[in-house]
Amino acid sequence: MTKNTIADDTQTRIDYLINCRRTLHRCPEVGFEVPETCSLIERFLDELGIVHTQKYCKYSVVGYVGTRTDVPVIAVRADMDGLPVEEKTGLDYASEKAGFMHACGHDAHMAMLLGAARTLKPIEDSLPFRLKMIFQPAEESADSGARLMFENGVLDDVDYVLCQHVDGSLDSGCVGYAYGTVCSACTPIDITFHGKTAHATIPHKGHDAIAMMFKTYSGIQLMLSREIDPFENMVCSVGAVNGGVVHNVVCDKANMKISLRTFDVQVNDFVVDRVKLLAEHAAKELGGTVNYEAHMSAPAVVNDDFVVDCLKEAAEDIYGDNVRLVRPKMSSDDFSWFAANKPSVYYWLGIRNLSKWHETSLHNNDFMVDDDALLGGEKLLINTMYKLAKAIQ
């Protein structure tokens, strides 16, 4: 890639990226229900003269840049959904939807992909690759948007897939990458305990669902400390417990929600089965019953070494020594449904700027993205596609 092939009107590109991100940031939506976000993406693509479709999934958007048929098709995934979080950033472009926020940087992901499309569109006839833009809903959901789009054939014509995710633990101007398994599998577990009500002063006449739940909780902690290899990369976090309504009635229904993250399928299956057994035993011992649901919403993300090498080379062209080999993360991403089926790379773009605000983390209500990082992210997407195309040739 040379300056003769891409018009480098830096300020115009920066302004475009910031406008796209801030426009999208104001209207976060969650799950598959992202109609306003979808309409905005379609409007941006229409302005660029890019044909698009929603055929792979409701409120998804897919389009192409590049006209040649003798070149590799390289897809870039940008997730579209926000989170049910009340924004507390105080920004003048903060969320206009009460109770919802782009707290995971998906607004930045969409903006950088749009910026790359805008930059490449004028020279699409000469590109040594064809860019397939995949704007995907429901990355944060238990029901995966990526899985649905894959099942509907979104990768059928694709050779490689890229996914760039912002990272609040890396400074703006840095890139993180890793080989092999880079993100954990995610298995949500939902357990409902059923007992029998009684007056609080005669608890022996009832079957306490809360007691069943906390007996299970204690068993889980013992299992984690005594039945799992301490060197195993895994997390089993109880994120929600609910039961009872008033102080003077023995609770007859309680619910526990667990987030299980693992790198190894055998460990995942062991924990799922073991927690089920603990819950069943606790319920039976206290005279109740249990409903148990567990399903893997996303497998682990596994990078392809060849694609990582191309990404690393492309990043070093732009960021020099600020390209870092980082540890895998226990967070999950349904990009894994793409990575499991096509050679792919999932990497991290630094967006922390401590000279502007304190350090903020993904999924927090004060999460911030440094706009100064956006142009580098756009350039990195473009340069990685060029590196891939050249390496293939």
Side-chain angles (χ1 to χ4, degrees), residues 168-180:
S169 68
L170 288 174
D171 287 332
S172 197
C174 294
V175 171
Y177 71 95
Y179 290 91

Side-chain angles (χ1 to χ4, degrees), residues 310-339:
C310 291
L311 172 276
K312 179 174 178 288
E313 184 179 346
E316 288 171 345
D317 285 349
I318 299 168
Y319 295 95
D321 294 336
N322 291 321
V323 180
R324 301 172 185 172
L325 181 65
V326 298
R327 294 189 302 175
K329 295 183 181 291
M330 291 309 302
S331 55
S332 304
D333 195 302
D334 73 347
F335 179 73
S336 54
W337 294 108
F338 295 164

Side-chain angles (χ1 to χ4, degrees), residues 370-382:
D370 181 14
D371 285 335
D372 290 343
L374 298 176
L375 182 59
E378 177 201 312
K379 289 181 176 180
L380 182 52
L381 287 174
I382 293 171

Side-chain angles (χ1 to χ4, degrees), residues 1-311:
M1 183 172 58
T2 68
K3 291 183 178 180
N4 294 326
T5 58
I6 290 180
D8 192 13
D9 185 352
T10 298
Q11 191 56 53
T12 299
R13 291 168 72 180
I14 292 172
D15 292 344
Y16 181 81
L17 289 163
I18 292 175
N19 176 66
C20 286
R21 187 182 85 80
R22 295 186 178 187
T23 299
L24 291 161
H25 188 86
R26 291 187 179 98
C27 65
E29 298 166 296
V30 298
F32 285 99
E33 296 304 313
V34 290
E36 188 174 348
T37 305
C38 183
S39 294
L40 286 170
I41 295 296
E42 290 178 321
R43 190 192 82 194
F44 285 129
L45 294 179
D46 287 340
E47 291 171 352
L48 297 175
I50 296 174
V51 177
H52 48 82
T53 180
Q54 285 192 38
K55 72 177 183 178
Y56 297 106
C57 170
K58 179 184 178 182
Y59 296 135
S60 68
V61 186
V62 174
Y64 293 90
V65 175
T67 58
R68 293 173 60 182
T69 58
D70 60 336
V71 294
V73 177
I74 304 174
V76 177
R77 193 290 298 266
D79 30 20
M80 304 165 71
D81 54 330
L83 288 161
V85 172
E86 185 71 36
E87 181 163 352
K88 300 292 184 181
T89 61
L91 296 169
D92 58 7
Y93 55 90
S95 169
E96 296 175 355
K97 294 182 180 290
F100 299 97
M101 176 187 175
H102 270 299
C104 197
H106 297 187
D107 50 340
H109 303 165
M110 291 183 281
M112 289 183 287
L113 180 51
L114 288 166
R118 178 182 176 275
T119 297
L120 294 174
K121 179 64 176 174
I123 58 169
E124 66 176 340
D125 292 343
S126 63
L127 291 175
F129 55 84
R130 195 172 187 214
L131 164 61
K132 186 170 188 176
M133 296 168 287
I134 300 176
F135 294 94
Q136 174 216 312
E139 186 277 322
E140 302 284 2
S141 303
D143 294 323
S144 165
R147 181 176 186 175
L148 181 58
M149 294 185 76
F150 168 72
E151 291 173 346
N152 288 336
V154 75
L155 297 187
D156 286 355
D157 63 341
V158 170
D159 296 295
Y160 300 94
V161 195
L162 312 180
C163 183
Q164 177 171 258
H165 202 296
V166 298
D167 189 338
S169 68
L170 288 174
D171 287 332
S172 197
C174 294
V175 171
Y177 71 95
Y179 290 91
T181 303
V182 297
C183 291
S184 70
C186 178
T187 300
I189 301 174
D190 192 288
I191 313 172
T192 301
F193 299 89
H194 300 278
K196 180 184 176 183
T197 58
H199 195 282
T201 61
I202 49 172
H204 57 290
K205 296 290 187 179
H207 302 297
D208 190 346
I210 291 177
M212 302 172 203
M213 178 170 64
F214 283 107
K215 187 175 181 62
T216 302
Y217 180 87
S218 296
I220 290 171
Q221 304 312 311
L222 186 61
M223 173 200 67
L224 294 175
S225 67
R226 288 296 176 263
E227 298 185 64
I228 302 294
D229 184 340
F231 288 101
E232 196 66 56
N233 288 317
M234 63 87 62
V235 173
C236 183
S237 291
V238 177
V241 292
N242 293 283
V245 179
V246 292
H247 73 94
N248 56 356
V249 177
V250 171
C251 173
D252 67 340
K253 184 178 180 181
N255 178 263
M256 174 186 292
K257 299 184 189 299
I258 299 171
S259 184
L260 174 61
R261 308 300 176 102
T262 57
F263 284 179
D264 186 288
V265 174
Q266 289 183 326
V267 173
N268 179 87
D269 293 346
F270 171 81
V271 174
V272 167
D273 293 342
R274 193 76 175 93
V275 172
K276 182 180 182 182
L277 185 64
L278 290 167
E280 290 173 342
H281 283 187
K284 184 177 180 180
E285 182 178 341
L286 293 167
T289 59
V290 65
N291 292 336
Y292 187 88
E293 297 180 9
H295 74 284
M296 186 177 286
S297 61
V301 178
V302 182
N303 277 348
D304 179 89
D305 287 355
F306 167 70
V307 189
V308 175
D309 286 340
C310 291
L311 172 276

Side-chain angles (χ1 to χ4, degrees), residues 343-362:
S344 303
V345 64
Y346 183 101
Y347 62 94
W348 298 274
L349 181 75
I351 48 82
R352 177 177 63 188
N353 190 330
L354 297 179
S355 68
K356 294 182 178 180
W357 49 70
H358 63 279
E359 183 166 343
T360 59
S361 300
L362 298 174

